[in-house]
Amino acid sequence: MPARADTALKDGPIAILGAGSLGRLWAGYLPAGHAVFFSHPPRPVSGPIHYRLKHPDGAESICQIPVITLTGARPYLLLVTTKAGDTVDALERALPSLPTQLPIILFQNGLGCQQAVAGRWPDRPVLAASTTEGANRPEEELLVHAGRGQTWLGALTDSGRYCVAAAVAQLQSSGLAIEAEPDIHQRLWDKLVVNSGINAFTTILDCPNGDILVDPFFLEHIDDLSEEIAQVMATETRRPLSAEEVRKRIYTVATSTAENTSSMRSDRQRGRSTEIDVINGYIVERGKAAGIATPVNQMLVRRVKDLTE
Ligand code: NAD
Ligand code: KPL
């Protein structure tokens, strides 16, 4: 792979699978003409996707991103910005048409989906991103970049390791902050800790992130939940957190994002399936594998599913 950002077009565009909030964020920040969306089969290609991108400072820019079919496509990178539950299926459809050396970058929250993709395509260069960027679509043709964050990129498969530096250089042309992460599994776990302590509570209580901190239901369960997360994390990562550190991180992020609607609450409000299986559900699964009881995580999974399925 070439290492310089200005070689993108010579070597093909950056293709994005999943033209939702995060896909539109990357497409909107990449230099004009560098990003394309893959069409979403079986939906027909209906010309470019137009939208307004509202930046964190309130300024707006207009985006027009081409939509291409998979047939004959030779992209330079593939950004996968589908929801976790759609990702393997989306790649099953897309990858047979795409070159085997194409770097695939997964942007899903939670864990489980990343291992499923790397396990299904071990010989392809598969990378994962963990991002604190926040984007949402209050209207069909408006993408709001809620606040500037940071993205870390690391390899999930052996061949992915050789692509990290060039992919980072390429994505830096967006102006969004992104850097290589040698231990992406740890980064994904660090984010999982926070999502496991906030998303389900905001969905069950139907409240913004900050409001959970004074709710009796959250206060009843947060200590045991933090203990479960810490115990499972200790079996899974090189830099585990104590239960107290888990609890502190959950409080810190719920406080700093107090007014936000979490992605899970937003999915429920829109009648979409949630990512509970790759958040608290993943902790339940890894707990089972390690012989660690996770009753609070199980209860949260059940309560969210009762509301959304
Ligand atoms: P979204 O629902 O807005 O976008 C997903 C898009 O994927 C939708 O447009 C959907 O139509 C499309 N899609 C589904 N199946 C497809 C297929 N087979 N082929 C092509 N497109 C398909 O979701 P989002 O908010 O953009 O989140 C995407 C992922 O990124 C999630 O896993 C989320 O956890 C993660 N993430 C999002 C943000 C954010 O700020 N939005 C931040 C961090 C991580
Ligand atoms: O990542 C988030 C999400 O909503 O999925 C948090 C950190 C909880 C911010 O809303």
Side-chain angles (χ1 to χ4, degrees):
M1 282 180 74
R4 286 180 56 82
D6 56 11
T7 56
L9 291 176
K10 196 175 69 175
D11 294 277
I14 295 177
I16 301 176
L17 190 63
S21 301
L22 197 61
R24 287 177 192 226
L25 181 78
W26 280 96
Y29 273 91
L30 282 164
H34 283 212
V36 297
F37 287 121
F38 272 138
S39 63
H40 181 171
R43 293 180 203 166
V45 179
S46 54
I49 293 182
H50 298 265
Y51 55 97
R52 288 159 23 241
L53 193 169
K54 187 169 181 184
H55 298 264
D57 65 2
E60 286 193 8
S61 49
I62 303 292
C63 304
Q64 178 175 311
I65 312 295
V67 180
I68 64 165
T69 55
L70 290 160
T71 319
R74 288 292 173 269
Y76 178 89
L77 290 178
L78 177 64
L79 311 190
V80 185
T81 51
T82 46
K83 290 280 194 185
D86 294 325
T87 297
V88 171
D89 184 51
L91 288 172
E92 288 283 6
R93 290 167 187 262
L95 290 184
S97 309
L98 297 171
T100 50
Q101 71 276 19
L102 171 68
I104 300 161
I105 304 181
L106 305 174
F107 276 87
Q108 289 63 41
N109 258 341
L111 270 162
C113 162
Q114 295 85 350
Q115 291 92 330
V117 173
R120 171 74 183 79
W121 292 281
D123 298 328
R124 283 189 177 259
V126 181
L127 290 73
S130 177
T131 186
T132 60
E133 297 290 356
N136 58 76
R137 276 167 77 199
E139 298 164 28
E140 175 65 23
E141 295 188 359
L142 175 63
L143 188 271
V144 176
H145 185 197
R148 282 200 168 259
Q150 172 73 40
T151 301
W152 293 271
L153 199 62
L156 295 178
T157 58
D158 286 345
S159 57
R161 290 206 195 113
Y162 303 103
C163 305
V164 174
V168 166
Q170 196 66 67
L171 293 174
Q172 277 171 342
S173 65
S174 65
L176 296 174
I178 179 163
E179 62 186 69
E181 169 59 73
D183 191 351
I184 194 67
H185 183 71
Q186 177 77 43
R187 280 279 174 205
L188 291 165
W189 250 101
D190 288 344
K191 181 128 197 266
L192 179 72
V193 164
V194 168
N195 289 131
S196 299
I198 298 179
N199 293 31
F201 285 113
T202 61
T203 307
I204 295 162
L205 299 170
D206 194 19
C207 67
N209 295 355
D211 289 12
I212 61 173
L213 299 177
V214 291
D215 191 281
F217 176 64
F218 174 85
L219 294 171
E220 182 189 343
H221 293 294
I222 188 59
D223 289 346
D224 290 342
L225 179 75
S226 303
E227 187 61 47
E228 289 178 18
I229 295 171
Q231 283 184 20
V232 177
M233 190 181 193
T235 69
E236 292 272 315
T237 68
R238 275 192 274 237
R239 281 179 282 123
L241 300 171
S242 68
E244 186 48 28
E245 287 167 328
V246 165
R247 193 176 179 279
K248 266 194 196 146
R249 286 203 184 187
I250 292 166
Y251 270 77
T252 301
V253 177
T255 304
S256 65
T257 62
E259 307 298 319
N260 288 17
T261 283
S262 77
S263 54
M264 193 176 286
R265 179 182 181 221
S266 166
D267 285 337
R268 185 199 167 197
Q269 287 172 337
R270 289 163 191 237
R272 298 185 184 163
S273 51
T274 71
E275 296 191 307
I276 189 75
D277 285 335
V278 295
I279 300 181
N280 301 91
Y282 183 75
I283 293 179
V284 172
E285 184 194 308
R286 297 318 302 157
K288 272 188 192 146
I292 298 166
T294 55
V296 181
N297 280 284
Q298 283 180 25
M299 177 273 294
L300 292 174
V301 171
R302 198 181 56 248
R303 292 278 304 261
V304 169
K305 289 199 173 203
D306 284 349
L307 289 171
T308 55
E309 287 180 359

